[in-house]
């Protein structure tokens, strides 16, 4: 359904929602980058969950239109009702939130998704909600103000009515296959062994829009119930591979402050609404943010073949080379199991990138220490962006265990770290910068563990 009208869509698997919308007259949705970076193409996508409609902002330039079946896509043309503007539009006008107007539909849709979901009128909420939207002429102050005013209003939405979903069809079995459970997923994989899996599409669809590859058939793992859940036993959490970053933020809100802070730096709200933990592992990227975290947390990956054979792989054994993993063509990642003991240890996750929001890491450091702050009894240290694969530093860990954290130890570790890594120079950072950043991350984690220095956020709060 698009803007309250049920539509039949029969498009190639890799046709993006943006291409479809613009070709069908909905040109209010703009194309800036076609790679998820600028937010000009943002639309709202509504899903019926537990009888309630929930909206999320997505980058339509990297979502295959076939992935949206059974959902309600609202574009900027469908936001106002016949007699009045949507509150976000009214406030954008009142606050002078637009100049050339190219970015405006995208900002409006990001803000509208927040209002539709009843998000609070908090400055951090608004900033995060528009973290994936770029404006080059208005300046963000007036847009943030418009968002704050809109979220502060009393608002009754007509778009929340579940009746919109009464005529929608179940997920598609066309060129984008949408299995709803693992056995249907395996069947689809057996039937179409050449088809690529897609979850959030935030990596895969860049192959289409940036490298002009085409995919005749896609198997969508984002609706597979078992892959979408987080389950808990007495000792472990198992995160389904198709759990999105936004869902991780919610689940870990009171379980890992470190992870939640890192997730606020991962992509933008639009990327986090779609991107999944399984996609982050399966793409094999050495600069992905989650692998160092999962190495520190001692995670085990659960893989399953199309024939139903399951195996478990220690996350340390998952990567075999640059963009290579042990995952076979006929396998998918089902879930990621994490021992709960990892959450009681001291952890620090540090991300260095050129921009705070919506930027890939130059260096991603993750450290876990056990001990009393004086002596370390166990350590796990991993870095992204420092080698062809996410890098675990077992030699450095061995140097730390059983030692008193003091100035000499910091000096020894810093010297050894230089020898343990051979970072690359690329567009994001020089090898020297990366090495210096990794040293400073490890030193900072050790200083915070031993209480010599406070975490940066806390230090800034104390200063204020
Ligand atoms: C603007 C932008 C900003 C980004 N910022 C960051 C960032 O800050 N940090 C970061 O780490 N990444 C970032 N990314 C990369 C991307 O968002 C993440 O890697 C994300 O986790 C990919 O997940 P996905 O569900 O979108 O994967 P998809 O694109 O759907 O899939 C990626 C690959 O994984 C495979 N796959 C997906 N699920 C499975 C499964 N269950 N089993 C087997 N194979 C599977 C697919 O076949 C494909 O090869 C960014 C991307 C964009 C476009
Ligand atoms: S066009 Fe830039 S994010 Fe989609
Ligand atoms: S108003 Fe021109 S880019 Fe935002």
């Amino acid at each position: 359904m698009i803007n309250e009208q049920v539509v039949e869509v029969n498009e190639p698997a890799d046709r993006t929602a943006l291409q479809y919308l613009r070709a069908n007259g909905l040109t209010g949705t703009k194309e800036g980058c076609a790679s998820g970076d600028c937010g000009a193409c943002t639309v709202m996508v509504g899903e019926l969950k537990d009888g309630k409609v929930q909206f999320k902002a997505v980058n339509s330039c990297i979502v295959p239109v076939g992935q949206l079946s059974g959902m309600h896509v609202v574009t900027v043309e469908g936001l106002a009702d016949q007699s009045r503007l949507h509150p976000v539009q009214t406030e954008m006008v009142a606050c002078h939130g637009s100049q050339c107007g190219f970015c405006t539909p995208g900002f409006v849709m990001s803000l509208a998704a927040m209002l539709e979901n009843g998000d609070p009128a908090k400055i951090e909420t608004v900033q995060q909600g528009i973290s994936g939207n770029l404006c080059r002429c208005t300046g963000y102050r007036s847009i943030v103000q418009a968002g704050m005013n809109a979220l502060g209003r009393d608002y009754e939405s007509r778009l929340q009515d579940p009746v919109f979903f009464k005529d929608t069809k179940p997920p598609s079995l066309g060129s984008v296959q949408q299995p709803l459970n693992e056995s249907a997923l395996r069947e689809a994989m057996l039937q179409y062994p050449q088809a690529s899996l897609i979850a959030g599409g935030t990596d895969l669809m860049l192959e289409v829009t940036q490298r002009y590859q085409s995919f005749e058939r896609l198997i969508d793992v984002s609706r597979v119930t078992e892959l979408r859940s987080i389950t808990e036993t007495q000792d472990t959490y198992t995160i389904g591979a198709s759990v999105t970053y936004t869902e991780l933020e919610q689940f870990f809100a009171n379980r890992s402050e470190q992870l939640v802070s890192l997730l606020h730096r991962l992509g933008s709200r639009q990327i986090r609404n779609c991107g999944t933990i399984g996609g982050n592992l399966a793409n094999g990227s050495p600069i992905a943010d989650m692998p160092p975290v999962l190495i520190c947390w001692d995670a085990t990956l659960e893989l399953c073949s199309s024939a139903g054979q399951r195996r478990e792989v220690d996350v340390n054994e998952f990567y075999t080379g640059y963009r290579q993993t042990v995952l076979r063509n006929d396998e998918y990642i089902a879930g990621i199991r994490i021992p709960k003991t990892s959450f009681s240890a001291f952890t620090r996750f540090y991300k260095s990138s050129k921009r705070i929001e919506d930027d890939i890491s130059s260096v991603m450091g993750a450290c876990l220490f056990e001990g009393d702050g004086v002596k370390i009894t166990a350590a796990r240290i991993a870095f992204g962006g420092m080698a062809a694969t996410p890098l675990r530093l077992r030699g450095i860990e061995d140097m730390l265990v059983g030692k008193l954290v003091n100035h000499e130890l910091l000096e020894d570790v810093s010297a050894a770290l230089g020898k343990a890594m051979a970072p690359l120079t690329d567009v994001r950072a020089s090898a020297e910068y990366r090495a210096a950043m990794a040293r400073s991350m490890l030193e900072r984690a050790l200083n915070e563990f031993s209480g010599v220095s406070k975490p940066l956020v806390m230090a800034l709060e104390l200063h204020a």
Side-chain angles (χ1 to χ4, degrees), residues 198-373:
I198 183 168
T202 61
D203 273 321
L204 188 92
M205 287 304 286
L206 268 61
E207 297 295 320
V208 176
T209 64
Q210 307 300 301
R211 298 204 180 91
Y212 306 110
Q213 258 205 58
S214 57
F215 294 92
E216 208 175 301
R217 188 174 295 276
L218 292 168
I219 300 174
D220 180 4
V221 297
S222 72
R223 300 198 193 189
V224 175
T225 313
E226 299 90 328
L227 271 56
R228 292 205 38 78
S229 58
I230 301 180
T231 51
E232 181 175 357
T233 65
Q234 205 179 346
D235 305 321
T236 59
Y237 294 119
T238 301
I239 304 169
S242 300
V243 170
T244 66
Y245 295 117
T246 297
E247 288 162 344
L248 283 181
E249 274 176 66
Q250 288 154 3
F251 184 79
F252 283 102
N254 298 315
R255 293 178 172 91
S256 171
E257 196 190 325
Q258 284 288 310
L259 179 71
V260 173
S261 311
L262 172 67
L263 292 174
H264 289 166
R265 302 273 317 277
L266 195 157
S268 59
R269 174 56 66 211
Q270 290 95 319
I271 294 295
R272 297 198 290 274
N273 282 342
C274 296
T276 64
I277 187 165
N280 201 242
L281 291 164
N283 71 24
S285 166
I287 49 169
D289 284 338
M290 292 309 291
V293 170
L294 294 175
I295 290 172
C296 271
W297 277 350
D298 204 16
T300 303
L301 312 190
E302 296 177 356
L303 312 184
C304 186
S305 76
S306 52
Q309 273 168 341
R310 291 187 182 267
R311 61 178 175 135
E312 296 192 343
V313 175
D314 184 326
V315 67
N316 293 291
E317 315 299 327
F318 185 66
Y319 296 92
T320 52
Y322 180 70
R323 288 200 169 270
Q324 285 172 351
T325 71
V326 299
L327 194 67
R328 294 194 306 257
N329 280 347
D330 68 339
E331 281 181 319
Y332 60 92
I333 304 175
I336 297 110
R337 203 173 60 235
I338 304 167
K340 283 187 180 170
T341 46
S342 295
F343 295 88
S344 49
F346 172 94
T347 48
R348 286 293 179 265
F349 305 142
Y350 301 126
K351 169 166 174 163
S352 155
S353 58
K354 288 189 177 171
R355 283 196 314 193
I356 292 288
E357 278 137 355
D358 209 358
D359 202 1
I360 304 280
S361 297
S362 311
V363 181
M364 168 65 216
C367 305
L368 177 145
F369 304 132
E370 283 173 29
D372 55 8

Side-chain angles (χ1 to χ4, degrees), residues 18 30-42 59-62 102 132 270:
L18 178 64
K30 306 297 180 206
E31 175 171 308
C33 62
S35 59
D37 283 300
C38 76
C41 64
T42 305
N59 295 125
S60 64
C61 67
I62 50 172
F102 188 80
Q270 290 95 319

Side-chain angles (χ1 to χ4, degrees), residues 12-52:
D14 53 8
R15 176 94 152 148
T16 69
L18 178 64
Q19 288 162 344
Y20 177 86
L21 292 171
R22 290 186 63 83
N24 285 277
L26 295 171
T27 50
T29 308
K30 306 297 180 206
E31 175 171 308
C33 62
S35 59
D37 283 300
C38 76
C41 64
T42 305
V43 297
M44 258 176 18
V45 173
E47 274 179 278
L48 200 55
K49 285 185 183 162
D50 306 325
K52 208 176 160 293

